[in-house]
């Protein structure tokens, strides 16, 4: 019986990682689902849904050769998968400022206190080594309006962080 | 309703040439289909397997935005477009996927009505986005052909303010 797994991969970024792994999966008859693959701080990272007849150790064995030659750390978890069930975000939160400890914790604690569900969070450290800038966008689903969410985050501005929230409206046509 | 990957959605529709009873009946059907789909603010003829240059847009149900009411556009033509804004779009023909698309902020479009009379419309913001999304269908284009990244959105926005 086919089952869904979440494959997590981390390794030093280099060309060919995605090709090597997906080729091995394809040859083994596995099916791919939703995935996020991104270079973070010089490492390449993959979170990918994989559907296959194999069990967890079978998947590790089949990806072993590619993982070894590319120096990748692989991790496999059995998951309860739900495709075709995207939740539409209705609020976007943007945050940027001088990089300082605790920005993410403070913003997300405030959001969590109102039941804001984070669907997609991207953050980056830009600027220079001497003057790093932190940039973050969060798309989520909130029972409260963007105006209420922005008001909630306003106290962070006093700490020199630019924060804002705006409604996300999805046109359907 | 056609759903991608049905390749018929990628074909170019032909201009309407006869403004007859059959056309007016089709316009009614198209409007009924749009109204029967919750949250839907526009529909193009090719989405319902009819490959003529006809779209309907009605964003008047959204609070606090400029609109022209119900717009039935036959053989629509762009007169002008200005500015650019990124917004989120989905499509009845592309279930369970949404993405960011850059569209003109203000447009002027001319089109015929069900009787063949030409009329010009000025649209902005959300309504302009809806009109452009629907007219794309007439040229075999889906919003999937125009996706931009979220990063792009943030950069543009940060630059403006
Ligand atoms: Zn559409």
């Amino acid at each position: 019986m086919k089952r869904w797994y979440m494959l997590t991969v981390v390794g030093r970024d280099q060309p060919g990682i995605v090709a090597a792994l997906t080729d091995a999966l394809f040859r083994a008859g596995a099916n791919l689902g939703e995935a996020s693959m991104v270079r973070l701080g010089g490492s390449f990272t993959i979170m990918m849904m994989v559907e296959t007849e194999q069990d967890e150790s079978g998947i590790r064995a089949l990806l072993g050769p590619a993982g070894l030659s590319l120096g990748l750390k692989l991790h496999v978890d059995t998951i309860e998968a739900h495709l075709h069930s995207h939740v539409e975000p209705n609020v976007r939160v943007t945050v940027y400022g001088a990089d300082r400890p605790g920005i993410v914790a403070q913003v997300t604690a405030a959001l969590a206190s109102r039941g804001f569900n984070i669907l997609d969070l991207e953050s980056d450290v830009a600027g220079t080594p001497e003057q790093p800038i932190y940039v973050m966008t969060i798309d989520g689903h909130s029972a409260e309006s963007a105006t209420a969410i922005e008001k909630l985050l306003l106290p962070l501005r006093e700490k020199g962080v630019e924060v804002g929230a705006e409604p996300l409206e999805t046109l359907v046509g | 309703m056609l759903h991608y990957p049905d390749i018929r959605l990628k074909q170019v529709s032909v201009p309407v040439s006869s403004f007859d009873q059959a056309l007016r009946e089709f316009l009614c059907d198209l409007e009924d289909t749009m109204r029967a789909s919750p949250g839907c603010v526009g529909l193009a003829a090719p989405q319902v397997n009819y490959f003529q240059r006809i779209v309907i847009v009605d964003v008047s149900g959204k609070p606090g935005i400029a609109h022209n009411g119900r717009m039935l556009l036959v053989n629509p033509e762009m007169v002008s477009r200005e500015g650019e804004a990124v917004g989120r779009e989905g499509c009845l023909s592309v279930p369970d996927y949404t993405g960011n698309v850059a569209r003109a902020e203000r447009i002027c479009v001319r089109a015929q009505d069900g009787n063949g009379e030409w009329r010009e419309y000025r649209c902005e913001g959300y309504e302009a986005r809806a009109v452009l999304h629907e007219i794309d269908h007439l040229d075999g284009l889906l919003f999937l052909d125009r996706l931009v990244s979220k990063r792009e959105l943030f950069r543009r926005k940060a630059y403006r303010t």
Side-chain angles (χ1 to χ4, degrees), chain A residues 94 124 135 137, chain B residues 86 149-161:
Chain A
T94 53
D124 220 328
V135 184
T137 57
Chain B
V86 175
S149 77
K150 192 168 61 174
R151 227 179 149 82
E152 181 84 356
L153 173 95
F154 187 74
R155 193 178 298 133
R156 285 170 199 232
K157 189 169 170 285
Y159 179 72
R160 272 198 199 120
T161 49

Side-chain angles (χ1 to χ4, degrees), chain B residues 48-103:
Chain B
V48 294
N49 200 20
Y50 192 76
F51 300 94
Q52 297 205 7
R53 303 188 72 82
I54 303 165
V55 308
I56 180 169
V57 168
D58 187 350
V59 301
S60 62
K62 303 278 171 186
I65 58 168
H67 64 79
N68 288 287
R70 187 204 63 175
M71 303 166 73
L72 276 170
L73 309 177
V74 179
N75 298 330
E77 292 171 7
M78 296 305 300
V79 178
S80 65
R81 56 180 87 208
E82 271 179 73
E84 191 185 70
V86 175
R88 225 178 153 80
E89 296 184 20
C91 179
L92 289 184
S93 298
V94 186
D96 198 42
Y97 190 80
T98 57
N100 292 311
V101 179
R103 302 280 188 189

Side-chain angles (χ1 to χ4, degrees), chain A residues 171-173, chain B residues 42-44 47 90-94 133-134 137 141-143:
Chain A
L171 181 149
V172 179
Chain B
L43 203 59
Q47 291 179 276
C91 179
L92 289 184
S93 298
V94 186
H133 176 115
E134 300 313 333
H137 278 298
L141 292 171
L142 300 172
F143 77 101

